[in-house]
């Protein structure tokens, strides 16, 4: 099984960015936890971070023939990127949307996601466990898909 993890804008700043909300782990430390968990499941995992909308769109397009599921934290793009939303809708790859913070308990505008309607589902508010739970969800979804 091949999983792609996509981190959106500003997530490269984890560990120093709003640590009261996002915690002290750096993105490299989070990626190591994801890779360790993936290894236990014998998952081939690719991880990608970008601060650029177009690069994220192209990464989603590129997943269409060789990735079984995407775990994506679209970060701020969650709330307004129709381009990312359309990219998810354009490819036949299940996408699990994840957020470190609970986007429903913060500013009102954060409670809306333009990605959620085209994602399989959303995991929000469990800290970095949102990503780890995302791996469990991806494995369950891919197992259920017809061959
Ligand atoms: C976030 C929540 C978004 O609202 C925010 O813009 C982020 C991170 C999260 O993981 O909690 O950058 O996606």
């Amino acid at each position: 099984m091949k999983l792609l993890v996509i981190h959106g804008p500003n997530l490269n700043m984890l560990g120093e960015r709003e640590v009261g909300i996002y915690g002290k782990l750096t993105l490299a430390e989070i990626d190591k936890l994801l890779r360790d968990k993936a290894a236990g499941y014998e998952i081939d995992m690719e991880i990608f971070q970008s601060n650029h909308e177009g690069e994220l769109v192209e990464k989603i397009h590129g997943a269409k023939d060789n990735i079984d599921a995407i775990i994506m934290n679209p970060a701020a793009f969650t709330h307004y990127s129709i381009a990312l939303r359309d990219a998810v809708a354009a490819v036949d790859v299940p996408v699990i949307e994840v957020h470190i913070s609970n986007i429903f308990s913060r500013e009102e505008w954060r409670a809306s996601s333009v990605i959620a309607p085209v994602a399989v589902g959303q995991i929000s508010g469990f800290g970095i466990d949102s990503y780890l739970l995302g791996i469990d969800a991806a494995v369950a979804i891919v197992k259920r898909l017809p061959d």
Side-chain angles (χ1 to χ4, degrees):
M1 182 181 315
K2 187 147 188 208
L3 295 188
L4 171 64
V5 177
I6 298 181
H7 303 290
N10 300 306
L11 295 173
N12 57 309
M13 299 293 288
L14 288 174
E16 55 182 294
R17 166 193 183 211
E18 299 185 89
V19 291
I21 296 172
Y22 300 118
K24 288 187 184 155
L25 289 187
T26 64
L27 192 61
E29 289 166 335
I30 292 171
D31 288 347
K32 162 114 182 41
L33 292 173
L34 296 180
R35 287 192 196 285
D36 287 350
K37 178 157 181 161
Y41 274 130
E42 294 185 1
I43 291 169
D44 183 2
M45 178 173 275
E46 181 182 346
I47 303 180
F48 179 76
Q49 190 276 330
S50 176
N51 296 318
H52 303 278
E53 190 177 30
E55 285 183 6
L56 294 165
V57 166
E58 284 168 5
K59 197 70 194 173
I60 294 167
H61 293 172
K64 78 180 162 67
D65 294 323
N66 62 336
I67 296 287
D68 294 302
I70 300 173
I71 297 159
M72 175 161 71
N73 184 347
F77 287 140
T78 304
H79 313 297
Y80 67 92
S81 175
I82 304 302
L84 268 194
R85 182 249 176 247
D86 285 354
V88 171
V91 298
D92 194 17
V93 181
V95 173
I96 296 140
E97 178 185 340
V98 301
H99 298 284
I100 297 168
S101 65
N102 180 351
I103 60 171
F104 301 97
S105 68
R106 300 179 62 193
E107 298 93 333
E108 207 178 324
W109 52 266
R110 268 187 222 275
S112 107
S113 166
V114 299
I115 309 297
V118 289
V120 180
Q122 186 197 69
I123 302 169
S124 171
F126 295 95
I128 70 108
D129 286 327
S130 294
Y131 285 101
L132 297 170
L133 292 165
I135 295 176
D136 291 324
V139 169
I141 289 159
V142 173
K143 276 194 186 149
R144 243 186 279 129
L145 286 175
D147 289 333

